[in-house]
Amino acid sequence: MAREQLTVRGIVQGVGFRPFVYRLAGELALSGWIRNDGDGVTMELQGGGAALNGFAERLLAERPPLARIDQVQRLALPEDAACEGFAIRESSATGGGQAAIGADTCVCDACLSELFDPANRRYRYAFINCTDCGPRYTLVRHLPYDRAQTSMAGFPQCPACLAEYRNPLHRRFHAEPNACAHCGPELALLDADGPVAGDAVAETLKRLQDGEIIAIKGLGGFHLACDARNPAAVARLRQRKAREEKPLAIMATNSASLAGLARIDELSGRLLRSPQRPIALLPKTAGCDDALPGVAPDVAWLGVMLPYTPLHYLLFHEAAGRPDGTSWLAEPQPLLLVMTSANPHGEPLITRNEDARALLPALADAVLEHNRDIVTRCDDSVLRVGCHGHAQFLRRGRGYTPCAIGLSRGGPSVLALGAHLKNTLCLTRGSEAFLSQHIGDLDRVANCQALEAAAEHLQTLLSARPKFIAHDLHPDYFSSRLARNLAERLNIPALAVQHHHAHIAAILAEQQCDETVLGLALDGVGLGDDGGAWGGELLLVDGAHCQRLGHLATLALPGGDRATREPWRMAAAALHSWGDDENIAARFHDEAAAPQLAHWLNQGKALTRTSSLGRHFDAAAALLGIATRTSFEAQAAMRLEGLAERHGLPAKPPRLHRIDAANVLDLSPLLHRLADGLPPAEGAALFHACLIEALADWAARTARRHGLRRVVCGGGCLQNAILARGLHAALGRRGLSMLQARLVPAGDGGLALGQAWVAQRHFNP
């Protein structure tokens, strides 16, 4: 006989881990106990030595589907003659503060079988869940993960639910959101006249089919939903939300329901069906825009997700005529719903019923709410399949937050506050980094408040208080001001991290790479070390040290930030760069400011210049007549990419770039070629092909000079699939390996991770 204590760290709370251990201990005739605590789970086991070793092996091999085991510590103990049977003990707040909570996941197959079984007591119950599925992060307030620490605390379980909850052999043992129609949360549909009588799901579907816009409460916030096949409803949704042209995502029952709309390969299909259920960007078919007018205009991709809450499934079940069983879930279904975040333009996602009732009547005709509180707002994640079969994050949120990102080494806790756009924050604990859900652009007071709240919540949830703070180099970003205020309040050091250094560092962090690399940072804008507007940079990155080795030739930035919304201004700057000022007013005759802008450029009055690749994309789009003004960020670049994707890139593009002795890459020959009247699609394809070769030549020349073999490519421009694929191939042909973002967005949504990584190495070299 032997006895030992096991401490298991990772995602082991709220995922059925304790009942799994209970059953495994019974099979191996082991006695002892297990509990949740501040480390994860702790257990003591006593039995034969071979059985204990077998237990440790099976613990890793047979863990529950949502569990993640990061570490198992085994400690030998003296034998206890009084140890009999196996018990699941009450949770304890003791421990080293290493516990973690899993992300929200979609409803599992077992629960779906019950949901559509008329004989089951949870038939058509919109909040069905078990330890293998359902909400976690969005309803927990503190750890250990117990019902009293969640938004289910106010729902006492009925005798039938409580019996399941207390039965270690039941899949709902300590499923903290466990409930049924007798004791759990309830749905309510409200319109301008108040509560709507009748079945809330049936009435919601009827209204959607009648062309209404309905706000639907989900796991991390409200969605605005409408019939994706109804162009009038889609247009009305766009008008109400002030979302003129930005693509909308749709929800379909299954992959089969997307036939004729999008191309789905094996990896995309797995991504759609994964427990995380993100929005996946899929290549559109030729008939997509005719079938779904106004949903995703002028882009090559369609954002699609499958149902992930029981309520979503009930809407599709209702549309299918309430069939018994689950076989209908494999059949094509005609219902397609637009699902977009329910929030006034630019504001955070709405989570509270009171706010929905107050703010959404201007956007929605009715609100489908429920009385289970959302503790933490969390937008849908957005991904697409990148090069070599890896998914690429465009936005990281529900389904993935707050899952830890493993780091190559530990150290004191760092809180990083991100940048201004697409803000996220990051908190490190030991050798793990926890990136928050997408928070948004910090040009709204509500988003700034959301950042502060998220920082405090993540610290509380992880029981981690920072020893250092990191932020963007730009001193006037709200995130930078908040970082300095927190550092002063906590009496800890703060570090400003250059924007593009952080982009490259984020990739090094997630891929646990500690070597010196060549960084290729390509984005819209970030404050440079010299105070300039950078965005096309070659960097030597060695941990906390970063040196600029080259940059794109700068273009004038006429109007400053206004140029990001009016790409014709960047085209004018390009024309000016090769002395063609007299054609600015003629080419952009619809722009009243064009003559004056040409005069200012000629007089040298455009004081700001930028090396941004994002602004080169804008110039190219405007020179080709693809976009002269935009209604959302990167719209011009997305149109350019969409045309190039459909046209196909030339196999042997001409050399239309120059690299000078100072290692400055000049793309003006390429822009000059686009100004010659090329057809838009042909020009878009030529731009991408020549750009890829120019960047690869530039990087290869620099890498050889410094004896480097690895190029790390980051920044928002790497979310362009053509550019990412092309660079990977072009660098490979030149004998270089390329790293790019996989676990975090390549754009500003991953910056906080990079800031934290740099701060770790700066303060603890």
Side-chain angles (χ1 to χ4, degrees), residues 198-219:
D199 185 288
V201 172
E203 182 61 25
T204 296
L205 178 69
K206 179 180 181 301
R207 288 171 176 247
L208 288 167
Q209 292 174 329
D210 288 343
E212 291 191 16
I213 298 167
I214 310 296
I216 300 174
K217 190 174 184 180
L219 292 182

Side-chain angles (χ1 to χ4, degrees), residues 271 294-295 300 453 479 496-497 546 580 601 611 669 677 721:
L271 188 63
V295 170
S479 53
V497 181
C546 179
D580 203 5
L601 287 166
S611 59

Side-chain angles (χ1 to χ4, degrees), residues 449-470:
Q449 293 170 337
L451 173 61
E452 293 187 77
E456 186 58 38
H457 179 65
L458 203 55
Q459 291 175 66
T460 300
L461 194 62
L462 299 174
S463 300
R465 293 294 170 180
K467 302 298 183 184
F468 308 106
I469 287 184

Side-chain angles (χ1 to χ4, degrees), residues 545-616:
H545 173 73
C546 179
Q547 178 186 352
R548 192 188 199 193
L549 299 179
H551 59 84
L552 294 186
T554 60
L555 288 173
L557 193 63
D561 287 344
R562 190 169 181 177
T564 66
R565 302 184 299 275
E566 300 179 16
W568 73 269
R569 292 174 176 268
M570 294 311 305
L575 291 169
H576 168 73
S577 71
W578 59 76
D580 203 5
D581 296 320
E582 65 273 12
N583 280 330
I584 292 174
R587 183 181 284 267
F588 301 110
H589 53 83
D590 291 336
E591 300 293 344
Q596 186 64 44
L597 182 61
H599 175 72
W600 285 344
L601 287 166
N602 192 44
Q603 297 298 312
K605 292 184 178 180
L607 301 179
T608 303
R609 299 187 67 83
T610 181
S611 59
S612 164
L613 181 61
R615 301 292 75 80
H616 280 74

